[in-house]
Coordinates of all heavy atoms in Angstrom, one line a residue:
D137 N 6.1 24.2 16.5 CA 7.0 24.9 17.4 C 8.4 24.4 17.4 O 9.3 24.8 18.1 CB 6.5 24.9 18.8 CG 6.4 23.5 19.4 OD1 6.7 22.5 18.7 OD2 6.0 23.4 20.6
A138 N 8.7 23.4 16.5 CA 10.0 22.8 16.3 C 10.2 22.2 14.9 O 9.2 22.1 14.1 CB 10.2 21.8 17.4
N139 N 11.4 21.8 14.7 CA 11.7 21.0 13.5 C 10.9 19.8 13.4 O 10.5 19.1 14.4 CB 13.2 20.6 13.5 CG 13.7 19.7 12.4 OD1 13.4 18.6 12.3 ND2 14.5 20.4 11.5
D140 N 10.5 19.3 12.2 CA 9.6 18.2 11.9 C 10.1 17.0 12.6 O 9.3 16.2 13.2 CB 9.4 18.0 10.5 CG 8.7 19.1 9.8 OD1 7.7 19.6 10.4 OD2 9.1 19.5 8.6
S141 N 11.4 16.7 12.5 CA 11.9 15.5 13.2 C 11.8 15.5 14.7 O 11.5 14.6 15.4 CB 13.4 15.2 12.8 OG 13.4 14.9 11.5
V142 N 12.0 16.7 15.2 CA 11.9 16.9 16.6 C 10.4 16.7 17.1 O 10.1 16.0 18.1 CB 12.4 18.3 17.0 CG1 12.0 18.6 18.6 CG2 13.9 18.5 16.8
V143 N 9.5 17.2 16.3 CA 8.0 17.1 16.6 C 7.7 15.6 16.6 O 7.0 15.2 17.5 CB 7.2 17.9 15.6 CG1 5.7 17.6 15.8 CG2 7.4 19.3 15.8
M144 N 8.2 14.9 15.6 CA 7.8 13.5 15.4 C 8.5 12.6 16.5 O 7.8 11.8 17.1 CB 8.3 12.9 14.1 CG 7.9 11.5 13.8 SD 6.0 11.3 13.8 CE 5.8 9.9 14.8
Q145 N 9.7 13.0 17.0 CA 10.3 12.3 18.1 C 9.6 12.5 19.4 O 9.4 11.6 20.2 CB 11.8 12.7 18.3 CG 12.5 11.8 19.3 CD 12.5 10.4 19.0 OE1 12.9 10.0 17.9 NE2 12.1 9.6 19.9
R146 N 9.1 13.7 19.6 CA 8.3 14.0 20.8 C 7.0 13.2 20.9 O 6.6 12.7 21.8 CB 8.0 15.5 20.7 CG 7.3 16.0 22.0 CD 7.4 17.6 22.0 NE 6.6 18.2 20.9 CZ 6.8 19.3 20.4 NH1 7.8 20.1 20.9 NH2 6.1 19.9 19.3
I147 N 6.4 13.1 19.6 CA 5.2 12.3 19.5 C 5.5 10.8 19.8 O 4.7 10.1 20.6 CB 4.6 12.4 18.1 CG1 4.0 13.8 17.9 CG2 3.5 11.3 17.9 CD1 3.5 14.2 16.5
A148 N 6.6 10.3 19.3 CA 7.0 8.8 19.5 C 7.2 8.7 21.1 O 6.8 7.6 21.6 CB 8.3 8.6 18.8
D149 N 7.8 9.6 21.7 CA 8.1 9.5 23.2 C 6.8 9.5 23.9 O 6.6 8.8 24.8 CB 9.0 10.6 23.7 CG 10.4 10.6 23.1 OD1 10.8 9.4 22.6 OD2 11.1 11.5 23.1
Q150 N 5.9 10.3 23.5 CA 4.5 10.5 24.1 C 3.8 9.1 23.9 O 3.1 8.6 24.9 CB 3.7 11.5 23.6 CG 4.1 12.9 24.0 CD 3.1 14.0 23.4 OE1 3.4 14.4 22.2 NE2 2.1 14.4 24.1
F151 N 3.9 8.5 22.8 CA 3.3 7.2 22.5 C 3.8 6.1 23.4 O 3.0 5.4 24.0 CB 3.5 6.8 21.0 CG 3.0 5.4 20.7 CD1 1.6 5.2 20.7 CD2 3.9 4.3 20.5 CE1 1.1 3.9 20.4 CE2 3.4 3.1 20.2 CZ 2.0 2.9 20.1
V152 N 5.1 6.0 23.6 CA 5.7 5.0 24.5 C 5.1 5.3 26.0 O 4.7 4.3 26.7 CB 7.2 5.0 24.5 CG1 7.8 4.1 25.6 CG2 7.7 4.7 23.1
A153 N 5.2 6.5 26.3 CA 4.8 7.0 27.7 C 3.4 6.5 28.0 O 3.0 5.9 29.1 CB 5.0 8.4 28.0
I154 N 2.4 6.8 27.1 CA 1.0 6.5 27.4 C 0.7 5.0 27.2 O -0.1 4.5 28.0 CB 0.1 7.4 26.4 CG1 -1.3 7.4 26.9 CG2 0.2 6.9 25.0 CD1 -2.3 8.3 26.3
M155 N 1.3 4.4 26.3 CA 1.2 2.9 26.2 C 1.7 2.1 27.4 O 1.1 1.1 27.7 CB 1.8 2.4 24.9 CG 1.1 2.7 23.7 SD -0.7 2.1 23.7 CE -0.4 0.3 24.0
E156 N 2.7 2.7 28.1 CA 3.3 2.0 29.3 C 2.3 2.1 30.4 O 2.4 1.3 31.4 CB 4.6 2.7 29.7 CG 5.7 2.3 28.7 CD 7.0 2.9 29.1 OE1 7.0 4.0 29.8 OE2 8.1 2.4 28.7
T157 N 1.2 2.9 30.3 CA 0.2 3.0 31.3 C -1.0 2.0 31.1 O -1.9 1.9 32.0 CB -0.4 4.4 31.4 OG1 -1.2 4.6 30.2 CG2 0.6 5.5 31.6
V158 N -1.0 1.3 30.0 CA -2.1 0.4 29.7 C -2.0 -0.9 30.3 O -0.9 -1.6 30.1 CB -2.2 0.2 28.1 CG1 -3.3 -0.7 27.7 CG2 -2.3 1.5 27.3
P159 N -2.9 -1.4 31.1 CA -2.9 -2.7 31.7 C -2.8 -3.9 30.6 O -3.2 -3.7 29.5 CB -4.2 -2.8 32.4 CG -4.6 -1.4 32.6 CD -4.1 -0.7 31.4
K160 N -2.1 -4.9 31.0 CA -1.9 -6.0 30.0 C -3.1 -6.6 29.6 O -3.1 -7.3 28.5 CB -0.9 -7.1 30.8 CG 0.4 -6.5 31.2 CD 1.3 -6.1 30.1 CE 2.6 -5.7 30.6 NZ 3.5 -5.1 29.5
D161 N -4.2 -6.6 30.3 CA -5.4 -7.3 29.9 C -6.4 -6.4 29.0 O -7.4 -6.8 28.5 CB -6.2 -7.7 31.1 CG -6.8 -6.5 32.0 OD1 -6.2 -5.4 31.8 OD2 -7.7 -6.7 32.8
K162 N -5.9 -5.2 28.5 CA -6.7 -4.3 27.7 C -6.2 -4.6 26.2 O -5.1 -5.0 25.9 CB -6.5 -2.9 28.0 CG -6.8 -2.6 29.5 CD -8.2 -2.9 29.8 CE -8.6 -2.5 31.2 NZ -9.9 -2.9 31.6
Q163 N -7.1 -4.2 25.3 CA -6.8 -4.2 23.9 C -7.0 -2.8 23.4 O -8.0 -2.1 23.8 CB -7.8 -5.1 23.1 CG -7.7 -6.6 23.5 CD -8.6 -7.5 22.6 OE1 -9.5 -7.0 22.0 NE2 -8.3 -8.7 22.7
V164 N -6.0 -2.3 22.6 CA -6.0 -1.0 22.2 C -6.1 -0.9 20.6 O -5.4 -1.5 19.9 CB -4.8 -0.3 22.6 CG1 -4.6 1.3 22.0 CG2 -4.6 -0.2 24.1
I165 N -7.1 0.0 20.1 CA -7.2 0.3 18.7 C -6.6 1.7 18.6 O -7.1 2.6 19.3 CB -8.6 0.2 18.2 CG1 -9.2 -1.2 18.4 CG2 -8.7 0.7 16.8 CD1 -10.7 -1.3 18.1
I166 N -5.7 1.9 17.7 CA -5.0 3.2 17.6 C -5.5 3.9 16.3 O -5.6 3.1 15.3 CB -3.5 3.1 17.5 CG1 -2.9 2.5 18.8 CG2 -2.8 4.4 17.2 CD1 -1.5 2.2 18.7
S167 N -5.9 5.1 16.4 CA -6.2 5.9 15.2 C -5.2 7.1 15.1 O -5.0 7.8 16.1 CB -7.6 6.5 15.3 OG -7.8 7.4 14.2
T168 N -4.6 7.2 13.9 CA -3.7 8.3 13.6 C -4.0 8.8 12.3 O -4.7 8.2 11.5 CB -2.2 7.9 13.8 OG1 -1.4 9.1 13.7 CG2 -1.8 6.8 12.8
H169 N -3.5 10.0 11.9 CA -3.8 10.5 10.6 C -2.7 10.1 9.6 O -3.0 9.6 8.6 CB -4.0 12.0 10.5 CG -4.2 12.6 9.2 ND1 -5.4 12.4 8.6 CD2 -3.4 13.2 8.3 CE1 -5.4 12.9 7.4 NE2 -4.2 13.5 7.2
F170 N -1.4 10.2 10.1 CA -0.3 10.0 9.1 C 0.1 8.5 9.1 O -0.2 7.7 10.0 CB 0.9 10.8 9.6 CG 0.6 12.3 9.5 CD1 0.0 13.0 10.5 CD2 1.0 13.0 8.4 CE1 -0.3 14.4 10.4 CE2 0.8 14.4 8.3 CZ 0.2 15.1 9.3
V171 N 0.8 8.1 8.0 CA 1.2 6.8 7.8 C 2.2 6.2 8.8 O 3.2 6.9 9.0 CB 1.7 6.6 6.3 CG1 2.1 5.2 6.1 CG2 0.7 7.1 5.3
P172 N 1.9 5.1 9.5 CA 2.8 4.6 10.5 C 3.7 3.4 10.1 O 4.4 2.8 10.9 CB 1.7 4.2 11.5 CG 0.7 3.6 10.7 CD 0.5 4.5 9.5
N173 N 3.6 3.0 8.8 CA 4.3 1.8 8.4 C 4.7 1.9 7.0 O 3.9 2.3 6.1 CB 3.4 0.6 8.6 CG 4.2 -0.8 8.5 OD1 4.8 -1.0 7.5 ND2 4.1 -1.5 9.5
Q174 N 6.0 1.6 6.6 CA 6.5 1.8 5.3 C 5.8 0.9 4.2 O 5.8 1.2 3.1 CB 8.0 1.3 5.3 CG 8.7 1.4 4.0 CD 9.3 2.7 3.8 OE1 9.9 3.3 4.7 NE2 9.2 3.3 2.6
A175 N 5.0 -0.1 4.7 CA 4.4 -1.1 3.8 C 3.3 -0.3 3.0 O 2.8 -0.8 2.0 CB 3.8 -2.2 4.6
F176 N 2.9 0.9 3.5 CA 1.8 1.6 2.9 C 2.3 2.9 2.1 O 1.5 3.8 1.9 CB 0.7 2.0 3.9 CG 0.1 0.8 4.6 CD1 0.6 0.3 5.7 CD2 -1.0 0.2 4.0 CE1 0.0 -0.9 6.3 CE2 -1.6 -1.0 4.6 CZ -1.0 -1.4 5.8
V177 N 3.6 2.8 1.8 CA 4.2 4.0 1.1 C 4.4 3.5 -0.4 O 5.1 2.5 -0.6 CB 5.5 4.3 1.7 CG1 6.1 5.5 0.9 CG2 5.2 4.9 3.1
Q178 N 3.7 4.1 -1.4 CA 3.8 3.7 -2.7 C 5.1 4.3 -3.4 O 5.3 5.5 -3.2 CB 2.6 4.1 -3.4 CG 2.5 3.6 -4.9 CD 1.2 4.0 -5.5 OE1 0.5 4.9 -5.1 NE2 0.9 3.4 -6.7
T179 N 5.8 3.5 -4.1 CA 7.0 4.0 -4.8 C 6.8 4.0 -6.3 O 6.3 3.1 -6.8 CB 8.2 3.1 -4.5 OG1 8.4 3.1 -3.0 CG2 9.5 3.7 -5.2
F180 N 7.1 5.1 -6.9 CA 6.9 5.3 -8.4 C 8.2 5.2 -9.1 O 9.3 5.4 -8.5 CB 6.3 6.7 -8.6 CG 4.9 6.9 -7.9 CD1 4.9 7.6 -6.7 CD2 3.8 6.6 -8.6 CE1 3.7 7.8 -6.0 CE2 2.6 6.8 -8.0 CZ 2.5 7.4 -6.7
S181 N 8.1 4.9 -10.4 CA 9.3 4.8 -11.2 C 9.0 5.5 -12.6 O 7.9 6.0 -12.9 CB 9.6 3.4 -11.5 OG 8.5 2.7 -12.1
G182 N 10.1 5.6 -13.4 CA 9.9 6.2 -14.7 C 9.7 7.7 -14.6 O 10.2 8.4 -13.8
K183 N 8.7 8.2 -15.4 CA 8.4 9.6 -15.4 C 7.7 10.1 -14.2 O 7.6 11.3 -13.9 CB 7.6 9.9 -16.6 CG 6.1 9.3 -16.7 CD 5.4 9.7 -17.9 CE 4.0 9.2 -18.0 NZ 3.2 9.7 -19.1
Y184 N 7.2 9.1 -13.3 CA 6.5 9.5 -12.1 C 7.4 9.4 -10.9 O 7.0 9.6 -9.8 CB 5.3 8.6 -11.9 CG 4.2 8.8 -12.9 CD1 4.1 7.7 -13.9 CD2 3.5 9.9 -13.1 CE1 3.1 7.8 -14.9 CE2 2.5 10.0 -14.1 CZ 2.3 8.9 -15.1 OH 1.4 9.0 -16.1
E185 N 8.6 9.2 -11.1 CA 9.6 8.9 -10.1 C 9.8 10.2 -9.1 O 9.9 10.1 -7.9 CB 11.0 8.6 -10.6 CG 12.0 8.1 -9.5 CD 13.3 7.5 -10.1 OE1 13.3 7.6 -11.4 OE2 14.2 7.2 -9.4
K186 N 9.6 11.4 -9.7 CA 9.7 12.6 -8.9 C 8.8 12.7 -7.8 O 9.0 13.4 -6.8 CB 9.6 13.8 -9.8 CG 8.2 13.9 -10.4 CD 8.2 15.2 -11.3 CE 6.8 15.4 -12.0 NZ 6.7 16.5 -12.8
W187 N 7.6 12.0 -7.9 CA 6.6 12.0 -6.8 C 6.9 11.3 -5.6 O 6.3 11.5 -4.6 CB 5.3 11.6 -7.5 CG 4.7 12.4 -8.5 CD1 4.6 12.2 -9.8 CD2 4.1 13.7 -8.3 NE1 4.0 13.2 -10.5 CE2 3.7 14.2 -9.6 CE3 3.9 14.5 -7.2 CZ2 3.2 15.4 -9.8 CZ3 3.4 15.8 -7.4 CH2 3.0 16.2 -8.7
N188 N 8.0 10.5 -5.7 CA 8.5 9.8 -4.5 C 8.9 10.8 -3.4 O 8.9 10.4 -2.2 CB 9.7 8.9 -4.9 CG 9.2 7.7 -5.7 OD1 8.1 7.2 -5.6 ND2 10.1 7.2 -6.5

Side-chain angles (χ1 to χ4, degrees):
D137 64 355
N139 178 285
D140 295 320
S141 289
V142 172
V143 171
M144 187 60 229
Q145 186 58 54
R146 188 167 61 202
I147 289 170
D149 293 342
Q150 284 181 277
F151 175 69
V152 172
I154 197 169
M155 283 303 304
E156 287 178 341
T157 69
V158 179
K160 299 296 184 183
D161 63 341
K162 303 301 180 184
Q163 294 183 347
V164 178
I165 298 171
I166 296 171
S167 172
T168 185
H169 181 69
F170 295 85
V171 180
N173 193 300
Q174 183 84 45
F176 299 92
V177 177
Q178 187 178 15
T179 302
F180 300 93
S181 59
K183 66 178 182 179
Y184 299 109
E185 188 173 359
K186 63 181 180 180
W187 293 109
N188 290 332

